[in-house]
Amino acid sequence: MDQHQNQQSSLFDMDLDNEARYSFGETARWAKFLGIVAIVGLVLMILFFLAFGNRIAYALANLFPGGITDFGTTIIVVMFILVAICSVLLYFLFRASNNIRTGIITNNQELFNDGLNALKLYFMIYGIISILTTLSSLLNAF
Amino acid sequence: MEQENQPLFGLSIDNQIASTVSSSVQWAKVLAICGMILGSMFVLLGVLFQSLMARSISMGGGGLESDTVNRNMAAGASIGMAIYIIMGGLTIVGNIFLLNYAIKTNRALKTNDGSLLNTGFSGLRNYFAFWAVLMIICLLLFLLTIVTAIGSR
């Protein structure tokens, strides 16, 4: 019985060797780096819109005189939505990279699993957003 | 006996986490395909924009008779097309890495192949590295533009 259980376990379990640990560790390191760069970009973008938001709104109002009346509010709403989505994505990216890396360093299976779960959620949210973006782009194009 | 069950380095991908990775791979595949569609649309839009501008210029540019204006419009259209094609091409290349990860990891989970799993995750590493480097380049260009704009005042 015990032997049977062992056989079943080895059938589904994939032990991580040194090469796999290196590969997962490197992926987590680059994911963290991407997260940090994305945060810098997000902060720069917010600063840019805080500094030049009024001028952009004024220029857009001149460019589309019959369009949206309050470009300032529209920019703030769009920025808020963008920052909220990016924050959620970055949270899961950081959680995935930190937990996978710590899990590998400390040999903690639970943390490692949590990291892979966070990576799944990251791809899920990003996937849904990209489906919506692609559909809206295709609808606009045709 | 229990020690024999432990993996050599302490970590393993069991049945439960394999299904989590499998689900992540499915979403990554969706993301990669959507990204490729968007990238292709960028390239198409660039080519379309350039050809429309070229046609408009050859038909007289909507009343614009000056050669200088026409030349400037043609140059603008070419630059616009180049930017769109580069953006589209980079998006497609980035998503090829992601698709690579999705396909190889999925196959590794199905065949229980450790080395293929490593190759799959290397694809994911390449995907993250590609976007990180690209984002740094974009941020530098953005900063350069702002500095130039402030300096020209």
Side-chain angles (χ1 to χ4, degrees), chain A:
Chain A
M1 183 70 184
D2 202 27
Q3 210 174 12
H4 178 68
Q5 268 184 340
N6 280 353
Q7 275 178 349
Q8 266 204 327
S9 162
S10 66
L11 189 67
F12 294 113
D13 287 12
M14 206 187 291
D15 296 347
L16 296 186
D17 57 8
N18 248 344
E19 202 185 330
R21 290 159 69 91
Y22 174 77
S23 179
F24 273 90
E26 279 290 292
T27 306
R29 208 164 62 92
W30 276 105
K32 195 173 194 173
F33 183 61
L34 175 65
I36 291 166
V37 176
I39 284 178
V40 171
L42 204 64
V43 169
L44 274 177
M45 201 172 74
I46 291 168
L47 287 176
F48 178 77
F49 275 100
L50 283 177
F52 302 105
N54 284 340
R55 286 185 196 177
I56 294 169
Y58 180 73
L60 284 173
N62 279 343
L63 205 63
F64 308 105
I68 305 164
T69 48
D70 195 357
F71 273 104
T73 316
T74 313
I75 286 176
I76 289 170
V77 170
V78 169
M79 281 294 296
F80 184 77
I81 293 169
L82 209 68
V83 168
I85 291 170
C86 287
S87 303
V88 172
L89 278 175
L90 286 173
Y91 167 74
F92 283 115
L93 190 63
F94 271 117
R95 195 168 146 183
S97 69
N98 280 337
N99 287 355
I100 289 174
R101 213 166 146 74
T102 317
I104 285 171
I105 291 166
T106 59
N107 262 348
N108 188 331
Q109 182 75 52
E110 225 170 274
L111 269 180
F112 182 69
N113 292 357
D114 191 58
L116 288 178
N117 204 33
L119 190 68
K120 181 192 87 177
L121 289 170
Y122 169 78
F123 278 127
M124 209 168 112
I125 296 167
Y126 204 172
I128 291 168
I129 292 166
S130 76
I131 288 172
L132 294 175
T133 312
T134 310
L135 283 178
S136 88
S137 301
L138 286 172
L139 284 174
N140 281 336
F142 299 110

